[in-house]
Structure formats: C-alpha cells, structure tokens
Amino acid sequence: MAETAIPHSQPWIAQDELQAVADVLRSGRLAQGPCADRFERGLAAFIGRRGGVAVTSGTVALELALRALQIGPGDEVILPSYVCAAPWLAIQHVGAQARLVDIDPDTFNIDPQHVRKAVTGKTRAIIVPHLFGLPADLTELQAIGVPLIEDCAQTLGALERGRQAGSVGTLTVCSFYATKLLCTGEGGMVLSDDEALLERVRALRRYDEDPSLDPTASNYKMTDLQAAIGLCQLHRLPTFLSRRRDIAAAYDRALIGRRGVLPQVPAGRTHVYYRFVIRLAETSPSDEVVPAFIARLERAGVHCRRPVFRPLHGYLKMDGYPNSELVYQCAVSIPLYPSLTDEAVAHILTVLREELG
Ligand SMILES: *Cc1c(COP(=O)(O)O)cnc(C)c1O
C-alpha cells in the first residue's frame, strides 16, 4: 500500500499562476478584461483559428455554439452515445433533438459510418468530441457535409492528417475545468474562423449593450482571474503535452502484450493522452468488471476511474449502441497527468503488471 494514494487527476499549478492571479487582484480589474482578450487570442493561435470567445464553462460553450448556428426546436443534432452528458444537455437547452450514434470501440470516438446513417433532412450539426486526447476521423466526418462542432474539451495539440484538432469544424469548443489539459478551475471557449459566428457568441455572453435584447443572451463571461491562470497554463501547454506523451510511452512499453487493450492511434493521427484508457480483456463483460478492478487498484494506492461516468444511451435507457456499451463495461482510465512523478509512474506500473499478467 502506497503511503499516499495516487489521485486519478491533478492540476499542475506553479508560481506563475499564483503571481498572475495576484497581479489581477492588485490591478482592481477582476471581471472580464485584458487577460481574457489575450487568452482568447493565444488559444485561437495555438489551435489555428481566427478567434475565440471565453465563457464560463465547456457546457455553456457548446450551447452558445449551437445558438450561433441558430439551431433550435425542429432541428436535429448528432452526437456519440459514449460521452459525458454536457453535449446532450446543450442540445436540450436550445430545444433541438439529440440523435445518438455508436462509436468505434478501438478509438472511443464517434463512428462516421453510423453518423452517415443518422443524417436526415433536419440534421443541422454534428458534435464531435475528440475523446481522451485522440482526434476523431475529421476527414470522414467533414465529407458528410453537415457543420461540425468540434468538442476539444479533452484534446488540444493533437493532429489529424497534419491538421490540429479544433481547426477543422465550423465551430470548436474547449473546457478548462479543473481536470482538463489546460485548467482555469471552471471555464470554456468557443472558437471559429467565422467572425459573424464569433460575434453572435459574444452577443449571447452578455446581457446588455445589444440592441436586439435577445432573450437567450445571459451572463456567460469568464473573469480575468481565470483567464490569467489560463494564459499561464497555455504557455506551459507544450511542456504538459510532452510529459503526457512520455508517460504514455512508458505505460505502452511496460504493458504491451499483457491482458487488456492499450490506447490505439490510427495512422495519420497523434494522441495527447488526456486520459490513458485501457480496455480490460473480458470474455463476459458486465457492469461489475470495472468497479471491481478500480476497487483492487484503490487498495494498492492507485485511483482509477471510469472515463465516462455513464454513456448517454444508458441514462436514456436506449438500446442499439453495442460498441458504447462494450467500452463502458471494459474501459478504465489510469492516472496520467504532467505532475505525476517518475516514482508514481513506477508504482502504477508495478500494480498494473500484477493486474494485467
Ligand atoms: C469536460 C467536458 C465538457 C464540459 O465542460 P465543462 O467545462 O465541465 O462544462 C464537454 N465535453 C467534453 C468532451 C468534456 O470532456
């Protein structure tokens, strides 16, 4: 048993962030201001988009992306069944119809073949989460010809055929929740190359100074305290990502050939390992396999998690999503974050080698 358990995730906050927050506090300008502007420009440049609009959360960013496309009642939006509830909730908030589709069990991402079958005359957008750090098949999804909303809450800095995840869709959303690749506590952003769409998002994020008094507008502004943290994190993001890749490579080397399926990276894509998700080898998957594995690792001082708490078809009691169901029953996320020490990595591997034979 380890002295102190290794958490499943942990932000990396350094002296920079402490200083930056103190500077904002001393400036007397605490709400949205110059730091938010710089954070928007900085992240847009990193992803390769013309602009960004910083908001209070990733969930709000998804909702505002849908509203910017003027999606509402009578419209359909496609999304994968294997994802957290946020994209589904955003679709409910705008009053559109959510159409769930199954995933590719090897990449955990939305399967373009299933998307094609789900498109109808009412389909107005596809929400494309790039899950766990691996971009979805943007090339195939783009070929469908429906606007894509890329959900980059879990993937920044990864490539699909040489293109940055987040640089392809009509709109892109990010989350800066405490566990994400780049964190501000809570926060989100909508990015795009289309200035008219960005301007619509800006108008929805404030309640005043808009001649039309749009009833769907509200107060969704990010504070400069958060944006100051975001700027520091963005500056260190390349370091974070390279440490993540190194840890993932160590896990891969140590675990290859053992029981369980390691993260797959299809040709033409790169992975930034927001999560290191393994599929336990199970001849008879059930709802009990993953909790039992997690409990054994916890006793050994390693906190693992189900990477998606419950797939949407599970919440909604819908059948017909066999790949999502299989992945839900087998997938476990192993701790992987840049502040993880070499000693912690070694301990995790010792425990995993015992578990995976
Ligand atoms: C975290 C997350 C969200 C929601 O972001 P919040 O900032 O927590 O609201 C949306 N989509 C995905 C894929 C996420 O991982």
Side-chain angles (χ1 to χ4, degrees), residues 57-59 62 83-84 86 151 153-154 175 177 180 187:
S57 74
T59 309
L62 281 161
V83 68
C84 64
D151 181 343
Q154 305 195 356
S175 164
Y177 176 64
K180 302 293 163 96

Side-chain angles (χ1 to χ4, degrees), residues 3-23:
E3 281 285 291
T4 46
I6 298 167
H8 177 247
S9 60
Q10 204 166 42
W12 186 353
I13 298 299
Q15 194 58 38
D16 294 6
E17 281 87 344
L18 298 177
Q19 184 63 48
V21 171
D23 289 346

Side-chain angles (χ1 to χ4, degrees), residues 142-165:
Q142 225 180 354
I144 295 169
V146 172
L148 305 182
I149 299 175
E150 290 188 71
D151 181 343
C152 283
Q154 305 195 356
T155 301
L156 293 170
L159 303 177
E160 190 266 2
R161 291 183 172 81
R163 305 180 293 181
Q164 283 277 342

